[in-house]
Amino acid sequence: MTESQSRNIPAQPPLSTNQRQTTQTLQISSEGETRVNSGINTPPAPPPPTGQRPPVPPPPPTGQRPPAPPPPTGQRPGIAPPPMPPVTATIAKQPPGLTLAELAQEAFDQGYSDIHVGVGEIPRFRNRGEMQTTNYPETDKQTFIGWLREILTDSEIQHFQDNLEFDGATQYEFARIRINVFDSLKGYAMVLRLIPLKILSMDQLRLPPVFRDVCHYHKGLILVTGPTGSGKSTTMAAMVDYINREMPKHIITIEDPIEFVHQSRKSLIKQREVGMHTRKFDNALKAALREDPDLILVGEMRDKETVNTALKAAQTGHLVMGTLHTNSAVKTIERILNLYSGDEQDAMRVAVSESLVAVIAQGLCRTTDGKRAAFHDILINTDAVREWIKDGKYDDISELMKQAGFDGMITMNQSLFNLYQEGRITEEVAIEMSPTPNEMMQFLRGRV
């Protein structure tokens, strides 16, 4: 360039700070190092050796906008595509703030007996013996854990996670709740049994007069039996409440967990819960013999050791009440004796025959007004029954029960037939709930 030509070139104004920052680019050298290129009087970089990435292209001239990339196929140029909505799974969740207390209140208001909840399941209620679904969505794990924290302490939750099972109880202002938590294929689950705070009397439950008679015994063994959900706890609570109000006794209950809560009235009553106030049924039952009791209530006679101690207590001058899961009075005696070996059978038949006061097997059936009523199989240990127990003549005992109404005995078929005659149950319910439907149909046809 000649000197005259250089004089004709106008002087470039100095670049501002923003322009210098705009024109700075990063160049990657062949050695992999990064250096800053200000874009001012910088000679073009030599082409990279074969096999290396090309340099970043220089920025556009100052003040110009970089060219926009070509729009995707099917879109108009110059218009940004609308943002895509996030993809989320449409999983229904529990209403915010839904508490276990609200579920329990709803069940109590509707007269339901149980609440069933679990991860991946819709909450359900037991309505007079039948499962009833709700409109609530499936329960997720976070909601379930929140419900656990409502009713269990941290140590109880840890106990459940260690053992994958937990039994306990809690209490609201309107009802007491028996809790069972367990693990399942779908995840954690829980069943809550609602127990009324008010204990119904024997008159309110419409129990036969023989229930009062057996409460007046001073010693012996009274067994209340039946399947789960047959009202055994309600019946026993009514009997204990009757003794508590009418007699000056010392009553000790051993339960797992405590269900109906009694207040000392004419009697002094002490309630102990297995796992909280004692370690085992058998331990608490043995200790009760040294606590000057008149009545000992054993929540459940689960094993041979508990039965042994209960029989011993009954033989040493105490009245003992307990429960078993059997469907008839005679089968209850067989169940107890089957806990023992053949060599022990004869001695145990004598022990049972001398200790037994009564066996009350119970069931519940739906009535015509939508409620439920109890029906019973009642065996009273008379002199004849005592001899037949010693001899193992169980069929003779069953026949005697049909004809010994004057002693307070009754069979389930007779009890169901009485409910049918009173108009409280239908013929179909009587046949369905009968242990021997053929005999029940003969009752209904007037042949018996």
Side-chain angles (χ1 to χ4, degrees), residues 45-101:
T50 305
Q52 295 196 10
R53 295 176 59 186
V56 178
T62 304
Q64 292 188 9
R65 183 177 298 173
T73 307
Q75 292 188 6
R76 295 174 58 189
I79 300 178
M84 294 296 292
V87 179
T88 57
T90 57
I91 300 176
K93 293 187 177 181
Q94 294 291 351
L98 178 66
T99 64
L100 200 60

Side-chain angles (χ1 to χ4, degrees), residues 416-430:
L416 287 166
F417 186 64
N418 290 341
L419 291 174
Y420 169 73
Q421 287 185 314
E422 294 170 5
R424 298 181 66 193
I425 64 173
T426 63
E427 181 177 326
E428 292 75 19
V429 170

Side-chain angles (χ1 to χ4, degrees), residues 401-416:
M401 290 175 62
K402 298 176 184 178
Q403 305 167 7
F406 54 90
D407 287 321
M409 299 193 209
I410 194 171
T411 67
M412 281 193 172
N413 276 350
Q414 290 171 337
S415 183
L416 287 166

